[in-house]
Each structure stands twice: as C-alpha cells, then as structure tokens.
Amino acid sequence: MEINKIGVLTSGGDSPGMNATIRAVVRTAKAKGIDVLGIRDGYKGLLAGDMINMTAKTVSDIIQRGGTILQTARCREFMQAEYQERGAHMCKVFGLDGLIVIGGDGSFQGAEKLANLGINTVGIPGTIDLDIACTDYTIGFDTAVNTAMDSINKIRDTSSSHSRCSIVEVMGRNAGHIALWCGITTGAELVLVPELPRPANEDIIKKILETKNRGKKHFLIVVAEGVGGCNELAAHIEEVTGIETRATILGYLQRGGAPTALDRLRASMMGAKAVDLLCEGKTKRVVAYVKGEYTDFDINEALTMRKPFDKYLYDLCDTLSQRY
C-alpha cells in the first residue's frame, strides 16, 4: 500500500521526549513526500476530528521542550467498540494511510483496536515508567530518573544537615524502575518497590538503627509510587526511633522539563523507525529498543508480554548501601 498521508498523536500521560518523537515523525515523513496530520488531545481529538497539518517548520525548536505540543488526554470512551469504530471512521474521513501512536500500554490497546478495524497503526513507547515489556527503553524514563535524582540530592543535603531520615516517593505507577535507579544513583539505604513484598516496619527500623550504629547520621529511603504510605512510615519511624523523619512526594515534576540527550536520541530514532515501518507496509506494530537495537513487535504480542523485575539491580542497591 502506498503511504501518502499519516496521522500522529500522543496519548495518556505525557513524558519528556514526546516532542522529539513528533519532530522525527514529521520530518522523516516529509523527507519521504508524506503529508502528516497532528491529532490534538490523543484519542479524544481523533474522535472529534481535531487535526492540524504539520510541516517541517511546525516542529522547529521543539526537540528541547518537555510535554507534547499536540497535547494529550485520557479517553475512557475509546475502550468501547462504538468509539473505536468512530475513530477508525475518522481516520478514513481524513484520508490517513497510517497512524502513529505515542504512549503507553493503554494507548497501544487503542492502536490495536484501530488496526483490527483496518487502520495501519504503529505504536511508540512513550512513558516515564519503563513498564512496557517488549522494550528495554521507554521515552521519558531517563529524564524522569535524572529529575528525581537531582531532587533527592537536594533533599539529602538538608537531611544530612539535620541528621534526619528522608523518605522520598517517586513515580512509576505499578513499576519500581524509577525507584530502583534512584536508589542506586543517590545511595539510598533502602528502596521499596511494588514488585517485591514490602518489608515490615520493624525490619525497616532495624535497618536504619543498624546503619546509625555504624556511624551514619542521616538516612534515605526511596519508595515507588505503587507502594506508597510514605507519610505513615515517616511518622512510625520517628515515633519508634526518635529520629526526625520527613516524607516527600515528588509527583508530577518528574514528567516535566527538557528531555535529556538520551531521551532526545532514542525518541528521534523511534520516531523515524515508526515512519519506516509504515512505508514498509507493516501495521499493528510497536517500536522497541532491545539489546542496543531498534526493532518492532506485533502489538498483540507486546501487550501480553510481562517485564521481568531486575532482582540483581535490587540486590546491588542493598549491597552498596552497606557500611562494613
């Protein structure tokens, strides 16, 4: 099938590097003589026919910007067959020969439904959570980790000055990858992730006291969003040990900011790859980065895969926290 016009949208939670992806999609397509329509507000905008013509100039000076110039939204209606059919019809009304969806698992589920209705679709993994099983990397993860790491470093400075215990919650939804990376890169005494059973409060307190007895005067615990309970844990530690303890929830600041060089590079490569796949006649695919190579998977296969937890990295974090 000849590809003359494609659409691109960003869906679900935003992540740093989405703009770099959009830029790569548009400029790669234009270099191949393909027109591009930008769909605003994700699937919500698709249903409304909210599309704009995009040119090489449209995407000038956006590679360094966080967020997404196309805006994004969560569209619960798109989980229903009626709205999926309406979305497919809208693609045909606007003459789209292919659709590129930048987002996470939920966004890919929508792309799968459109593919089943005859729309050529390719997904690009854009989420800070690194929770898409088919790929070793998702756009926005590196920036989110660096943002969280920088914030934790600042918290640790004041924690050290006051001999406090600091508990910091990072994002990640039901995945602990951001927490684990931040735990290692900030030298945390303990990391709590949803993939493993949460230690009992008594065990956490024992770890803090053992560390204190070895001469440490301040302590850091990094908690994944999927574990939560930071405020309650902080109150309990302070009550039992007498150590001043503060909880900080970093929240959405991890989704913002200029993307790192790594996110800009990977986003650009994945955006170009998605256009290439459509031009090769492939559909219902997800772009992935696996063992140093850019590749692609069937969306159905990608959605059924489960990402293994890196227990080695977790154990390493625990080893590096010890003061022998």
Side-chain angles (χ1 to χ4, degrees):
M1 176 181 176
E2 186 176 358
I3 303 295
N4 297 306
K5 184 190 295 185
I6 64 174
V8 58
L9 62 83
T10 51
S11 174
D14 63 309
S15 63
M18 280 186 166
N19 283 327
T21 317
I22 295 168
R23 173 180 179 271
V25 166
V26 172
R27 292 196 168 178
T28 302
K30 298 302 288 184
K32 296 176 180 289
I34 300 170
D35 292 330
V36 184
L37 294 184
I39 303 168
R40 292 185 285 211
D41 289 326
Y43 290 120
K44 180 180 177 182
L46 176 62
L47 293 175
D50 188 0
M51 304 186 193
I52 56 172
N53 185 52
M54 303 194 77
T55 66
K57 186 177 180 180
T58 306
V59 294
S60 293
D61 298 323
I62 68 168
I63 192 171
Q64 79 281 5
R65 291 170 55 184
T68 162
I69 62 167
L70 290 176
Q71 306 295 112
T72 184
R74 301 189 188 279
C75 184
R76 297 189 182 280
E77 294 89 347
F78 213 74
M79 298 173 67
Q80 303 174 34
E82 172 190 353
Y83 292 95
Q84 294 159 8
E85 291 171 1
R86 185 184 301 180
H89 177 69
M90 200 62 72
C91 288
K92 294 171 183 175
V93 167
F94 280 85
L96 299 183
D97 300 314
L99 177 66
I100 293 175
V101 175
I102 307 166
D105 280 343
S107 305
F108 294 164
Q109 289 174 13
E112 177 198 13
K113 303 303 181 187
L114 289 173
N116 291 337
L117 292 169
I119 306 302
N120 298 325
T121 59
V122 174
I124 298 177
T127 169
I128 68 170
D129 302 330
L130 194 64
D131 59 351
I132 298 177
C134 69
T135 182
D136 295 339
Y137 194 85
T138 59
I139 296 165
F141 175 74
D142 188 63
T143 305
V145 168
N146 276 278
T147 299
M149 180 182 69
D150 185 57
S151 299
I152 294 171
N153 286 340
K154 290 178 171 63
I155 291 170
R156 187 152 204 169
D157 286 344
T158 191
S159 177
S160 176
S161 297
H162 292 270
S163 297
R164 285 176 181 160
C165 175
S166 291
I167 302 174
V168 183
E169 180 181 299
V170 298
M171 295 185 79
R173 204 170 52 166
N174 295 317
H177 305 293
I178 294 177
L180 188 54
W181 280 51
C182 284
I184 289 180
T185 57
T186 60
E189 277 68 51
L190 189 64
V191 178
L192 306 182
V193 294
E195 290 88 347
L196 296 175
R198 181 189 182 282
N201 285 350
E202 291 73 17
D203 293 332
I204 294 173
I205 290 172
K206 180 182 178 183
K207 176 82 180 265
I208 292 173
L209 291 178
E210 287 177 345
T211 304
K212 179 183 178 182
N213 292 338
R214 289 195 293 264
K216 194 76 178 286
K217 294 185 180 300
H218 60 92
F219 316 94
L220 172 63
I221 300 174
V222 178
V223 181
E225 179 182 14
V227 176
C230 291
N231 291 313
E232 295 80 4
L233 179 59
H236 185 71
I237 290 173
E238 184 163 335
E239 179 184 2
V240 173
T241 67
I243 298 171
E244 188 178 7
T245 306
R246 295 289 183 269
T248 303
I249 299 175
L250 296 184
Y252 286 104
L253 70 87
Q254 294 157 91
R255 281 196 186 165
T260 61
L262 184 61
D263 271 325
R264 297 183 200 192
L265 177 66
R266 297 269 165 86
S268 298
M269 295 293 289
M270 287 182 169
K273 176 76 172 178
V275 175
D276 289 343
L277 289 172
L278 286 175
C279 291
E280 292 167 9
K282 293 185 178 180
T283 182
K284 212 174 185 180
R285 311 298 294 179
V286 173
V287 177
Y289 180 78
V290 181
K291 296 180 180 179
E293 295 186 0
Y294 296 91
T295 184
D296 59 283
F297 289 85
D298 177 82
I299 290 182
N300 291 326
E301 180 184 358
L303 290 173
T304 59
M305 295 171 71
R306 292 293 175 264
K307 197 176 192 75
F309 180 70
D310 195 336
K311 186 63 164 51
Y312 175 81
L313 205 59
Y314 180 85
D315 291 339
L316 177 62
C317 184
D318 183 59
T319 298
L320 296 178
S321 72
Q322 302 299 323
R323 293 167 64 88
Y324 297 99

